[in-house]
């Protein structure tokens, strides 16, 4: 998800959720950014005193059954993937007052778009190291029948660890398509036919045309 970053000085006056506890266990501490589907917060998992990341679906979308399904599909899709280079889902659900949320691990890094902007050009071996991790994460997703559908630099986080430079996490399976041949109801896991989802600059021709996609796209 592409985020619009918000300055910390604006948080106390512009965001109504900062400081609130959702699902009885997650305190929203800082608004990190706003995307098309929701807002992302730095939060604390109170039971473990652990820093996490929370995504809340925008209020105006919660009345739309299609967007609500897509949001919950993101959690289901991502939670199936057990891979070191994929974002880890901690919890997801709906609060008592109807807010849909996903709790994820917090990544202390920057996205690949920022890295390219700050340090371009990157050395060839560094690019290869980053993309090898991205491809490994996608391979794992593809074995589960999950297609990302919105892979772009903004959805690739790069973290500097003590023992590894440029450790990658692939984010945002919010518009992922799950290929589930056993599913009898197409609307359960599949994007509605003819609906085009993604970022135009990174779409394959078949995605732009709203056609059926597979891992090659």
């Amino acid at each position: 998800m592409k985020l619009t970053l918000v300055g910390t000085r604006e948080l106390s006056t512009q965001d109504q959720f900062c400081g609130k506890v959702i699902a009885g266990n997650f305190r929203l501490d800082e608004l990190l950014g706003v995307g098309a589907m929701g807002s992302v917060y730095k939060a604390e998992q109170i039971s473990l005193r652990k820093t996490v990341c929370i995504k809340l679906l925008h209020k105006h979308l919660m009345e739309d059954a299609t967007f609500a399904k897509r949001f919950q599909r993101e959690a289901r899709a991502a939670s199936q993937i057990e891979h070191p280079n994929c974002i880890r889902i901690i919890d997801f659900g709906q609060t008592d007052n109807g807010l849909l949320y996903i709790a994820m691990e917090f990544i202390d890094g920057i996205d690949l778009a920022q890295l390219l902007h700050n340090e371009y050009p990157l050395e060839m071996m560094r690019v290869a190291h980053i993309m090898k991790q991205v491809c490994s994460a996608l391979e794992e997703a593809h074995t589960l029948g999950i297609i990302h559908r919105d892979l772009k630099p903004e959805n690739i986080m790069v973290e500097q660890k003590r023992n590894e430079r440029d450790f990658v996490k692939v984010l945002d399976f919010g518009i992922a398509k799950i290929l589930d041949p056993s599913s009898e109801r197409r609307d359960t896991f599949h994007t509605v036919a003819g609906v085009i989802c993604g970022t135009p600059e990174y779409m394959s021709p078949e995605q732009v045309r709203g056609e059926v996609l597979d891992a090659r796209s």
Side-chain angles (χ1 to χ4, degrees), residues 23-75:
N25 195 29
F26 301 103
R27 188 186 68 241
L28 307 182
D29 292 332
E30 180 183 348
L31 178 63
L32 298 177
V34 180
M37 287 182 61
S39 299
V40 178
Y41 297 83
K42 184 177 181 180
E44 180 178 336
Q45 187 176 4
I46 298 171
S47 59
L48 299 177
R49 295 185 179 179
K50 182 178 180 179
T51 300
V52 297
C53 192
I54 299 288
K55 181 188 289 185
L56 288 181
L57 184 68
H58 288 318
K59 275 188 171 182
H60 68 276
L61 298 178
M62 291 182 191
E63 298 177 357
D64 187 319
T66 300
F67 278 96
K69 281 185 180 179
R70 189 181 303 163
F71 185 83
Q72 296 205 36
R73 183 172 64 234
E74 173 180 356

Side-chain angles (χ1 to χ4, degrees), residues 162-191:
R162 288 194 300 270
N163 58 347
E164 183 172 357
R165 185 188 186 193
D166 298 329
F167 187 79
V168 165
K169 289 282 188 176
V170 178
L171 313 180
D172 199 1
F173 286 82
I175 57 175
K177 180 178 182 180
I178 300 180
L179 302 178
D180 183 5
S182 65
S183 177
E184 296 181 357
R185 293 185 57 194
R186 289 186 56 84
D187 63 345
T188 302
F189 288 118
H190 293 71
T191 301

